């Protein structure tokens, strides 16, 4: 279960499932689904201790080979590291699960810029990067597939989680287009768009007091993973787990933005521990002298 076991002869490469964000929540539950079916796994996350523990538990419960690689996927080097590690373990990616994702919440101008950039880098860029690295091999072998994890939030603009929701809309659009492109190739591309799932994601984003967590009943990661896995294996291109989510996605498509966006704003507005809504931090006007000069008007030439 460590990174030192190398099989350098590519002719004996074996199939495995590369799963990102596999130590907790939905990723962990998806790893369980694949392992239960006898798939070897390559698990990816940043925390090596959690990865080693997860690999040990999955290997022991399901008798499959589980390797781990600790990578920060919000960096290009992290994505390259996954490909190198999988090859080093003597595996090729039969399946890729792009699950790792982070969320942040609040008024956009008050959010930590590094976190906002990381959302785009992890949720969007790493998902495209890993797909680019592994999909061509699957197409050449005419087998395998990519399962991407989007969200119900991908179906609508969401105030106070603007970047996260937009990143999930990207994943939905990208996955549906690739599912079409890969028809008839033997390779499946699929996307799962869960609603609220009972994981640490919302607390990590500081959204634990928002109304959506009170109003939208959560599914468990296991419920989401079980449905996503079965549908993925059967070749469905989109999975909306639960009963309410398909209705929500349908309603979002036919509700005009003037009603949908304020409604989402009400659900997703940040609140403090006493349930008071939070307001944006007052921003200082830059002093006059530091403002950019007005552009000069060009006089028409005589
Ligand atoms: N929970 C929900 O309500 C919900 C709903 C819809 C969609 N989703 C989506 O489902 C996916 C999983 O969410 P979750 O709720 O299961 O999250 P989670 O419980 O917070 O788990 C996130 C996983 O991603 C890993 N990760 C985070 N940053 C990473 C990075 N920079 N590089 C590599 N790995 C990283 C974490 O491990 P390390 O911290 O060790 O890196 C962890 O294994 C996300 O894409 C999320 O957007 C969640």
């Amino acid at each position: 279960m460590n990174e030192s076991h190398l099989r350098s002869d590519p002719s004996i490469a074996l199939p495995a499932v590369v799963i990102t964000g596999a130590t907790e929540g939905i990723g962990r539950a998806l790893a369980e689904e694949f392992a239960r079916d006898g798939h070897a796994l390559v698990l990816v996350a940043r925390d090596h201790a959690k990865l080693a523990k997860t690999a040990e538990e999955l290997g022991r419960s399901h008798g499959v080979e589980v390797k781990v690689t600790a990578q920060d996927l919000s960096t290009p080097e992290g994505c390259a590291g996954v490909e190198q590690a999988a090859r080093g373990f003597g595996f090729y990616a039969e399946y890729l699960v792009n699950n790792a994702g982070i969320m942040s919440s609040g008024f956009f101008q008050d959010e930590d810029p590094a976190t906002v950039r990381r959302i785009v880098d992890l949720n969007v860029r790493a998902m495209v990067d890993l797909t680019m690295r592994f999909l061509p091999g699957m197409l050449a072998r005419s087998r395998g597939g990519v399962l991407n994890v989007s969200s119900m939030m991908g179906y609508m603009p969401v105030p106070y989680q603007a970047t996260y929701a937009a990143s999930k809309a990207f994943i939905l659009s990208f996955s549906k287009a690739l599912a079409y492109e890969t028809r008839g190739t033997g390779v499946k591309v699929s996307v799962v768009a869960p609603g609220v799932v009972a994981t640490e994601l919302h607390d990590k984003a500081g959204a634990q007091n928002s109304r959506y967590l009170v109003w939208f009943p959560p599914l468990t990661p296991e419920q989401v993973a079980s449905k996503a896995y079965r549908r993925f294996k059967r070749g469905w291109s989109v999975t909306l787990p639960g009963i309410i989510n398909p209705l929500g996605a349908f309603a979002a498509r036919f509700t005009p933005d003037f009603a949908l966006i304020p409604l989402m704003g009400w659900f997703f507005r940040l609140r403090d521990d006493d349930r008071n809504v939070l307001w944006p931090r007052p921003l200082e006007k830059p002093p006059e002298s530091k403002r950019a000069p007005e552009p000069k008007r060009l006089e028409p030439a005589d």
Side-chain angles (χ1 to χ4, degrees):
M1 313 278 169
N2 59 49
E3 294 176 29
S4 61
H5 172 72
L6 301 179
R7 272 180 284 177
S8 52
D9 181 355
S11 66
I12 58 155
L14 297 173
V17 188
V18 174
I19 307 183
T20 70
T23 53
E24 290 175 58
I26 298 169
R28 164 74 206 239
L30 281 166
E32 196 88 44
E33 292 290 334
F34 280 97
R36 195 175 293 128
D37 256 1
H39 291 280
L41 307 176
V42 176
L43 309 181
V44 189
R46 287 166 304 174
D47 186 323
H48 194 278
K50 278 194 198 166
L51 278 167
K53 185 167 176 286
T54 309
E56 197 275 320
E57 288 168 1
L58 289 171
R60 183 162 31 83
S61 315
H62 303 290
V64 293
E65 197 174 355
V66 187
K67 300 288 185 191
V68 304
T69 179
Q71 305 287 348
D72 182 350
L73 295 173
S74 66
T75 66
E77 299 75 32
C79 295
V82 174
E83 190 183 10
Q84 274 163 19
R87 200 177 303 130
F89 296 143
F91 284 132
Y92 65 85
E94 183 178 24
Y95 296 108
L96 166 67
V97 180
N98 283 307
N99 162 78
I102 51 166
M103 173 193 266
S104 70
S105 56
F107 284 88
F108 182 75
Q109 73 268 25
D110 292 344
E111 291 196 68
D112 170 28
T115 306
V116 174
R117 288 189 188 105
R118 209 173 308 123
I119 292 179
V120 179
D121 285 338
L122 178 64
N123 299 12
V124 177
R125 194 198 46 73
M127 191 267 312
V128 175
D129 188 328
L130 291 175
T131 305
M132 218 157 30
R133 288 174 189 278
F134 293 119
L135 183 65
M138 296 172 191
L139 291 169
R141 288 184 291 271
S142 302
R143 55 175 294 143
V146 180
L147 173 59
N148 291 328
V149 181
S150 174
S151 162
M152 273 296 291
M153 282 199 229
Y155 284 93
M156 59 203 87
V158 179
Y160 318 115
Q161 294 201 3
T163 313
Y164 176 79
S167 78
K168 293 292 159 180
F170 183 103
I171 298 172
L172 261 185
S173 170
F174 178 78
S175 307
K176 287 183 188 176
L178 287 199
Y180 182 85
E181 282 184 28
T182 53
R183 284 169 316 151
T185 62
V187 175
K188 308 174 188 54
V189 177
S190 181
V191 60
V192 57
V196 176
V197 186
T199 72
E200 299 293 312
L201 184 80
H202 309 276
D203 285 19
K204 289 180 199 167
Q208 64 279 5
N209 297 321
S210 294
R211 293 186 184 98
Y212 74 94
L213 291 174
V214 180
W215 283 76
F216 302 149
L219 292 178
T220 65
E222 291 73 25
Q223 287 171 314
V224 171
S226 155
K227 190 146 193 184
Y229 179 76
R230 279 185 281 120
R231 293 249 175 116
F232 172 57
K233 283 294 188 93
R234 286 187 203 144
W236 288 55
S237 55
V238 181
T239 298
L240 295 160
I243 296 162
I244 296 172
N245 297 327
L247 296 175
F250 184 79
R253 182 159 295 170
F254 295 103
T255 308
D257 277 358
F258 71 77
L260 183 64
I261 297 172
L263 183 65
M264 288 304 114
W266 187 81
F267 279 123
F268 285 82
R269 184 70 183 262
L270 276 203
R271 300 189 303 173
D272 64 18
D273 290 341
D274 298 322
R275 308 290 187 262
N276 301 309
V277 294
L278 296 180
W279 295 93
R281 161 180 66 99
L283 296 172
E284 265 179 41
K285 247 186 180 177
E288 284 298 319
S289 59
K290 288 198 183 154
R291 285 206 194 152
E294 289 293 321
K296 273 202 184 129
R297 276 185 123 184
L298 291 178
E299 297 301 332
D302 290 331

